[in-house]
C-alpha cells in the first residue's frame, strides 16, 4: 500500500520536472544571443508607442 502511494506521489513530481526543463529550454532559445538584438529593437518600438500614447494632464 505504501509503495503504491509513494509511486503515485513520485510520478507527478517527475512529470512536472521534465515539463519545466522543456519549458526552460524554450525560454533559453528565445533569449539566446542571436535574438538579443531583435528583442532590443522590439523594446524600443514598444517604448515609443507607450510614449506616444501618454496623455499629458494640464493643471
Amino acid at each position: 500500500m505504501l509503495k503504491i502511494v509513494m509511486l503515485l506521489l513520485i510520478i507527478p513530481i517527475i512529470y512536472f520536472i521534465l515539463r519545466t526543463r522543456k519549458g526552460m529550454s524554450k525560454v533559453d532559445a528565445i533569449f539566446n544571443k542571436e535574438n538579443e538584438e531583435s528583442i532590443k529593437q522590439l523594446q524600443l518600438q514598444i517604448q515609443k508607442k507607450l510614449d506616444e500614447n501618454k496623455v499629458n494632464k494640464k493643471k
Side-chain angles (χ1 to χ4, degrees), residues 15-31:
Y15 171 75
F16 286 116
I17 288 172
L18 293 175
R19 202 172 152 109
T20 303
R21 292 179 88 194
K22 183 179 177 184
M24 290 303 291
S25 65
K26 287 183 181 179
V27 169
D28 291 341
I30 291 171
F31 291 107

Side-chain angles (χ1 to χ4, degrees), residues 3-52:
K3 290 182 181 180
I4 295 172
V5 172
M6 292 297 288
L7 184 64
L8 290 175
L9 291 174
I10 290 174
I11 290 174
I13 292 170
I14 293 172
Y15 171 75
F16 286 116
I17 288 172
L18 293 175
R19 202 172 152 109
T20 303
R21 292 179 88 194
K22 183 179 177 184
M24 290 303 291
S25 65
K26 287 183 181 179
V27 169
D28 291 341
I30 291 171
F31 291 107
N32 64 9
K33 294 288 183 182
E34 296 170 359
N35 294 334
E36 191 171 315
E37 187 64 33
S38 63
I39 291 173
K40 287 180 183 179
Q41 288 285 29
L42 285 173
Q43 286 176 340
L44 289 173
Q45 290 175 354
I46 291 170
Q47 190 61 42
K48 285 180 185 177
K49 286 181 183 179
L50 288 174
D51 290 341
E52 291 172 1

